[in-house]
Amino acid sequence: MRELIANGADATRARAVHEESPGGAVTVRLRQADDVWWLEVEDHGIGMSPETMVSALTDFGISHWQNASMLAAFPRLLAKGFEPTGRFGIGFFAVFMIADEVQVRSLAYDEAPRTTHVLEFHHGVAARPLLRVADVHERLRSSGTMVRARLRHDPRTVEGLFKTTDRRLTHNQLLHSRLTRMCALAEVDVAVQGPDDPAPVRIVQAGDWTRIPPAELFRRIYRRDEANHLDRIIYDGYERWFVQHADDLLDDEGTIIGRAMVATGWEAVHPDLRWMRPTKAPIYVGGFESGEIWWCLGAFVGRPLTADRLKAFLIASLDQLQTWLEAQAATVCASPPGAASPGSNAATAPRSSSRSATVTR
């Protein structure tokens, strides 16, 4: 699911860069029809020509953004600073981990709706796909792409999309919860429509993670929906710490590339409880969750360490990271283990800048 959304986000950002205008939204839908579950991911980006659909979606390892027809149609796109999240040509094929029957409809930029084409996979990658001109009712009204996949399993099973059998949450709630965290730093609007939603609901606004209040960012990343009672109490306590102690990690141009705090696990988030596990902060590549870093809470922008983007590390330099750590060290030193959590009845120790940490080079 993440790879389909990332592909849609790339196409959406590409159109925004080309037109020098705000981009549209990537919409994710989960539907059930006749006991069959369908996942749809739709964007209003630059779309694909029939030739690009064949080359980008049938040749493993061929990136759409390196396709000759795409480069010919948008020769200045890369020169304008556009950098796609997907660069290895393997993202689309991840859909076959959850589905065998997949349909892709796409309309290339500046083309008439009648030129919409459909690429159909009826048996996964085991058989050749079929490319055809879209029927009248299948035509897209504007450029973009819609991927529709028939899921092998109920999403709310161990083998399914959400990999859970928890019945406390509905399919609708799980969809909203999982995607909100997954897309927390998205550079495009992300909307979802679950089985119970009458219309798509925007869960993330493009790039808003740098502007929203700390408490809202914390709740976006650390979802309480699936947490047990004790973990919810711990999250509530850490949210108060986050509001008080999180610092921005900045690059050399002053751009925010992280909003986080060091968390040792000894913070007194509750008078009677301690979290008996390492704290972790997700790392986002292209706005989508790709890895994690221990002993922190918050979110960081990163770069992929593997082609599948399942591992990532911070894009910050050692000097940038040290500046952030110095501010955090002052906070940790001013709030020793056992100190009351922010918002409790006890006084919170003031922040100090007299002590700092260093990064081992």
Side-chain angles (χ1 to χ4, degrees):
M1 184 162 57
R2 184 196 64 176
E3 297 304 317
L4 295 180
I5 300 172
N7 287 346
D10 280 348
T12 300
R13 291 192 298 111
R15 180 172 179 174
V17 170
H18 177 71
E19 295 180 341
E20 298 182 352
S21 63
V26 175
T27 303
V28 182
R29 298 182 179 90
L30 182 64
R31 297 174 175 172
Q32 185 182 29
D34 298 327
D35 295 327
V36 175
W37 286 95
W38 293 88
L39 175 69
E40 296 179 359
V41 178
E42 179 183 14
D43 70 72
H44 298 283
I46 60 174
M48 291 179 285
S49 65
E51 297 77 17
T52 300
M53 292 177 71
V54 172
S55 62
L57 303 182
T58 63
D59 290 340
F60 187 82
I62 303 298
S63 173
H64 168 50
W65 305 107
Q66 298 171 353
N67 182 276
S69 62
M70 195 285 297
L71 293 174
F74 303 93
R76 292 182 49 80
L77 191 61
L78 300 180
K80 290 181 178 181
F82 172 73
E83 294 184 7
T85 301
R87 294 175 294 169
F88 303 104
I90 64 175
F92 169 74
F93 291 89
V95 71
F96 296 110
M97 297 176 65
I98 59 174
D100 292 315
E101 184 178 335
V102 178
Q103 181 193 80
V104 182
R105 284 189 284 161
S106 195
L107 175 63
Y109 185 76
D110 263 355
E111 294 293 334
R114 66 177 181 276
T115 64
T116 300
H117 277 71
V118 181
L119 186 65
E120 294 177 323
F121 298 81
H122 293 289
H123 303 284
V125 294
R128 294 177 63 88
L130 171 67
L131 179 69
R132 60 178 176 82
V133 177
D135 294 334
V136 174
H137 70 277
E138 295 176 311
R139 292 175 181 174
L140 301 180
R141 296 182 179 181
S142 63
S143 68
T145 300
M146 175 183 287
V147 180
R148 189 168 185 257
R150 175 176 176 165
L151 303 180
R152 293 195 197 102
H153 306 284
D154 184 326
R156 200 173 53 176
T157 60
V158 174
E159 302 86 0
L161 190 64
F162 302 133
K163 299 187 182 305
T164 182
T165 58
D166 191 343
R167 291 296 187 266
R168 293 178 301 168
L169 300 181
T170 66
H171 291 82
N172 214 72
Q173 291 170 323
L174 282 167
L175 181 69
H176 281 252
S177 179
R178 297 290 179 88
L179 287 188
T180 297
R181 177 183 168 103
M182 180 192 298
C183 308
L185 273 59
E187 299 173 20
V188 300
D189 289 1
V190 178
V192 300
Q193 184 175 5
D196 302 328
D197 293 320
V201 179
R202 187 176 68 181
I203 57 172
V204 175
Q205 185 178 3
D208 68 347
W209 73 277
T210 63
R211 307 184 301 271
I212 59 178
E216 183 177 346
L217 178 62
F218 188 91
R219 289 192 294 269
R220 177 181 294 184
I221 298 168
Y222 300 100
R223 304 291 296 178
R224 293 161 173 78
D225 310 65
E226 298 177 70
N228 60 45
H229 177 67
L230 292 180
D231 281 353
R232 290 182 183 183
I233 295 175
I234 296 295
Y235 279 138
D236 289 343
Y238 266 122
E239 181 181 317
R240 294 190 291 269
W241 274 85
F242 189 80
V243 169
Q244 294 288 330
H245 297 149
D247 286 308
D248 292 343
L249 173 60
L250 307 176
D251 65 13
D252 291 339
E253 297 179 354
T255 301
I256 298 176
I257 54 176
R259 294 178 69 183
M261 61 171 278
V262 172
T264 65
W266 286 94
E267 291 81 9
V269 296
H270 189 275
D272 301 318
L273 297 174
R274 288 290 185 275
W275 212 5
M276 306 302 292
R277 69 185 72 169
T279 55
K280 300 176 184 179
I283 302 172
Y284 290 80
V285 175
F288 304 100
E289 186 177 4
S290 299
E292 59 187 14
I293 185 169
W294 286 24
W295 309 117
C296 296
L297 291 172
F300 295 95
V301 177
R303 62 177 182 275
L305 297 179
T306 56
D308 58 12
R309 295 195 296 276
L310 294 179
K311 295 182 179 180
F313 195 69
L314 314 186
I315 64 171
S317 67
L318 286 175
D319 288 338
Q320 294 161 1
L321 190 58
Q322 179 166 336
T323 299
W324 175 78
L325 281 172
E326 288 174 349
Q328 283 295 293
T331 300
V332 172
C333 292
S335 303
S341 68
S344 66
N345 293 330
T348 302
R351 299 185 67 172
S352 168
S353 59
S354 60
R355 301 179 65 180
S356 63
T358 58
V359 178
T360 302
R361 295 179 181 270

